[in-house]
Amino acid sequence: MSNVVISTRVRLARNLKNYPFPCKLSRQGREEVIEKVRDAVKNGNSVLAKDFQFIKMSELDPRQSVSLVERRLVSPEFISDTEGRALLLSSDNSLSIMINEEDHIRLQVITKGFSLEEAYDTADKLDTLLDERLEFAFDEKLGYLTQCPTNLGTGMRASVMLHLPALEKSRAVSRIAGNLSKLGLTIRGAHGEGTEPKGALYQLSNQVTLGISEQAAIENLKNITTQLVAQEEQARERLCRSIDVRDTISRSLGILKFAKVISHDEALKLLSNVRLGVVAGEIKDVGVETVDALMTAVEPATLSVNAGKALSPQERDIERARLIQKELV
């Protein structure tokens, strides 16, 4: 499964009972919510509590904020207005709590590979930790109350990050997307709604949150993911019989190893080809984990953050090529 499923994410939306939604909150109200959530985590009766770093979003520079989005630790919406917003982030980046995004609380868990039950179990424990000290807005008929009606009910969005180069090349993804919507699922670019897929990376997630339990939603996503993985693996087997495809894979590795300047889009395209080659057995001396890490590390803002300074577009392209060579040669 890890050949196709790169990571799993479970996100829960929650709101505090006695406060308006963030869009209607005063500056003071936002600060009160931040302190309440921070206190609930810091003083909660859980081993998870002491693992979090507290970050005021207004104190980050734009590069640091965008890098958080690139690494899928926060949403693009969360960094669009940083005033009155804060982030609690675990040391290994697997747990994050966005405070005062669209809802008061957006907690998420990210795990490597295909591990929906594990991710949900951790998210549920973190949710319980918060619920012990906070009173969530909840209705017996509607479930958890959220600003956007599409999140009513469980408030849960579960998703898997998929690498689908073979289905993309055969143009099957658009057909599959239409069928998925009938099953209560959606497939998008790696960074969610409104983003285009790059490097053949797609995010598959549940759409239905009302009138369905978390377990049922998880099971539905798990079953559909298993079917998609099987389709991708069959398509890869056919694709990699072609000498032209195998040649493209080898050429992609060669460019990545020796290029002095490389753009973001080209890097993702070539890394996607190399990842296909690794899992197909065409490339023996590179690991899938290395390629997956590079797909995040080559993002523009993340490159600048890791370099410790602002980089011009050309400097980023040079630094990107240097980083890739360091990891692949």
Side-chain angles (χ1 to χ4, degrees), residues 177-194:
N179 293 331
L180 288 172
S181 64
K182 301 171 187 175
L183 301 171
L185 300 172
T186 184
I187 190 165
R188 299 163 171 158
H191 295 292
E193 188 173 0

Side-chain angles (χ1 to χ4, degrees), residues 42-54:
K42 183 179 178 182
N43 298 311
N45 183 28
S46 170
V47 292
L48 295 172
K50 51 191 172 187
D51 191 42
F52 282 94
Q53 173 191 7
F54 176 76

Side-chain angles (χ1 to χ4, degrees), residues 1-22:
M1 280 284 192
S2 62
N3 288 345
V4 178
V5 184
I6 296 176
S7 62
T8 300
R9 181 176 69 177
V10 171
R11 189 202 72 199
L12 300 177
R14 300 287 185 261
N15 287 282
L16 306 192
K17 183 177 181 180
N18 296 317
Y19 289 85
F21 292 129

Side-chain angles (χ1 to χ4, degrees), residues 102-141:
E102 183 177 81
D103 297 293
H104 295 143
I105 296 170
R106 286 284 179 94
L107 72 87
Q108 69 172 31
V109 177
I110 297 179
T111 58
K112 292 182 179 179
F114 192 34
S115 49
L116 279 165
E117 289 93 347
E118 177 189 337
Y120 172 70
D121 183 61
T122 303
D124 187 48
K125 287 177 179 175
L126 186 53
D127 184 37
T128 301
L129 168 69
L130 294 172
D131 194 33
E132 287 173 354
R133 303 180 70 88
L134 301 170
E135 191 173 5
F136 292 142
F138 183 84
D139 180 87
E140 290 197 6
K141 289 184 178 180

